[in-house]
Amino acid sequence: ISLGSSRFQLEDGSKHATVVGIPTGHLERLAAALRAARLEPISFVLAAPALHESVEQEGEASASIVVGATSLSLEVGKGDGIAALRCLDSVVEGEGSNRQINLAVLLRELRVTLAQLPAPLRASLRTLRVFGDGPMTEALVSSLPQPLLALGLHLERVLHVPLAKLGMGLSPAAKALPEVCLAAHYLAARPGRMEFLPPRVSAWQQFVSRYSSRGVAYAISFLVFGVLCVAGSFAYQQTQLSKLRKEWSGLSPRVRELETIQQDIKQYRAWFDDSVRHLNILKRLTEVFPEDGSVLTAKNVEIREGYLVTCTGTTKDAEVLYKTLDQLRATRGISEVTMDQLRGDASRQFSFNFHWGEKGQP
């Protein structure tokens, strides 16, 4: 929103200000339309304050009505300041040449505006000036004076722009119309009280403004923060890797020595078996053989590769031999018990094999 302000001071010393806002988009579209028509706008000001300023007396409190084609503008001013500024769209009724001013609505809006003024300003307000041309203005001027008396105001019709106040040689017949008054003010180098012309912004300024906004600044800040975090993470990782490499360089000789010892252990483990495997095998065989050695006798026990066992001997009772083999199969740690041979009559020779340890385990 493009803002304009006007300040004034009352007789009691109180200071006041009126702020007027116009959407910037409206102003930019208007300026773009003018430039598209190859016209360069030089000023955007309000017509009602310009007309009011042209005829007001120094320090005077007065009100002005500017009659337009479809609406009325109401202003209350004090000296060089604007105390109230309203656009009365609901006052004009009808369409085309049948438009007319609803006097009752106008008086109601006028009373509302006057009631909102500061008390000292309302007490000093005596004059209501009417600007405009055409049948609606003539009808308003003819019907308004009597109702204004009830509000303590007298009507003053303004037909021409005063020459002396503007300090320039206008024709005495110059009508007090908004376009005439605004042109006279511009030619007299008297800028309006409120200027709403959007400043011309170069492409570079638009780029800087777009990319220097708070949101973009936050986004860039977050991006920089993220890059710093990633860079910090990599730096920390490299520091840790460097530290670990240094520790490894100190440990690597001992690790290589331990690896050599481990390889020697794997190579010579079979020669240094502290589990007394052979004695355990003989113990298990002894436990399953009957105590009476005359019935079943083991003559030879052969242990190959540390876990393949072959037992040969003689027996007088084959049934005792089979029971011994069944006990051997039920013994934990022994598997794959097989009868190799059994021959002879009175004193039979036998041979059986088994695997020491679980099946598939060396």
Side-chain angles (χ1 to χ4, degrees), residues 52-294:
H52 184 91
E53 182 183 359
S54 301
V55 298
E56 67 179 352
Q57 303 298 323
E58 183 176 357
E60 176 193 31
S62 61
S64 299
I65 290 179
V66 180
V67 181
T70 58
S71 65
L72 271 66
S73 298
L74 173 63
E75 179 189 351
V76 178
K78 174 67 168 103
D80 293 334
I82 300 173
L85 185 62
R86 298 184 61 193
C87 181
L88 307 179
D89 294 329
S90 60
V91 171
V92 179
E93 298 178 346
E95 296 182 357
S97 59
N98 295 324
R99 288 193 182 98
Q100 57 184 0
I101 298 174
N102 190 322
L103 185 61
V105 175
L106 174 60
L107 292 174
R108 183 190 64 195
E109 296 295 338
L110 185 59
R111 284 193 294 269
V112 170
T113 303
L114 296 178
Q116 295 174 346
L117 297 175
L121 177 59
R122 175 64 185 93
S124 61
L125 190 62
R126 293 289 181 269
T127 303
L128 174 65
R129 296 185 176 94
V130 176
F131 297 86
D133 190 17
M136 283 199 306
T137 305
E138 299 300 331
L140 177 63
V141 171
S142 62
S143 59
L144 194 57
Q146 191 64 32
L148 286 181
L149 294 178
L151 298 177
L153 301 174
H154 73 272
L155 180 67
E156 180 180 327
R157 173 73 183 279
V158 181
L159 296 175
H160 304 285
V161 178
L163 301 179
K165 188 164 186 178
L166 292 178
M168 62 182 302
L170 284 178
S171 169
K175 294 184 178 181
L177 299 176
E179 54 272 22
V180 175
C181 187
L182 292 175
H185 274 257
Y186 175 74
L187 295 175
R190 297 185 58 176
R193 295 176 182 176
M194 297 181 184
E195 178 60 62
F196 296 98
L197 179 66
R200 290 297 299 269
V201 181
S202 64
W204 170 251
Q205 289 175 328
Q206 292 179 0
F207 176 82
V208 172
S209 175
R210 178 180 302 175
Y211 291 99
S212 64
S213 63
R214 180 174 298 179
V216 175
Y218 285 156
I220 294 176
S221 300
F222 282 126
L223 180 61
V224 172
F225 178 75
V227 171
L228 291 177
C229 287
V230 173
S233 300
F234 277 108
Y236 177 77
Q237 184 182 34
Q238 292 299 319
T239 303
Q240 294 299 314
L241 289 175
S242 177
K243 181 180 178 181
L244 293 174
R245 290 192 188 99
K246 185 176 180 181
E247 293 180 358
W248 172 249
S249 63
L251 293 174
S252 57
R254 297 179 59 186
V255 171
R256 286 193 292 270
E257 181 181 355
L258 291 174
E259 288 177 348
T260 302
I261 295 174
Q262 185 70 22
Q263 291 176 358
D264 292 341
I265 290 174
K266 290 180 180 180
Q267 183 177 357
Y268 302 109
R269 177 175 293 164
W271 299 90
F272 299 93
D273 188 359
D274 57 358
S275 64
V276 292
R277 180 181 297 186
H278 296 169
L279 293 178
N280 285 327
I281 293 173
L282 294 176
K283 178 182 177 183
R284 292 291 183 270
L285 280 174
T286 303
E287 290 175 349
V288 299
F289 270 66
E291 294 181 2
D292 186 359
S294 61

Side-chain angles (χ1 to χ4, degrees), residues 328-348:
L328 193 62
R329 291 187 181 97
T331 302
R332 184 177 181 181
I334 294 177
S335 59
E336 299 182 2
V337 180
T338 59
M339 175 68 73
D340 192 12
Q341 66 177 355
L342 178 63
R343 62 185 179 178
D345 295 327
S347 179
R348 298 181 178 185

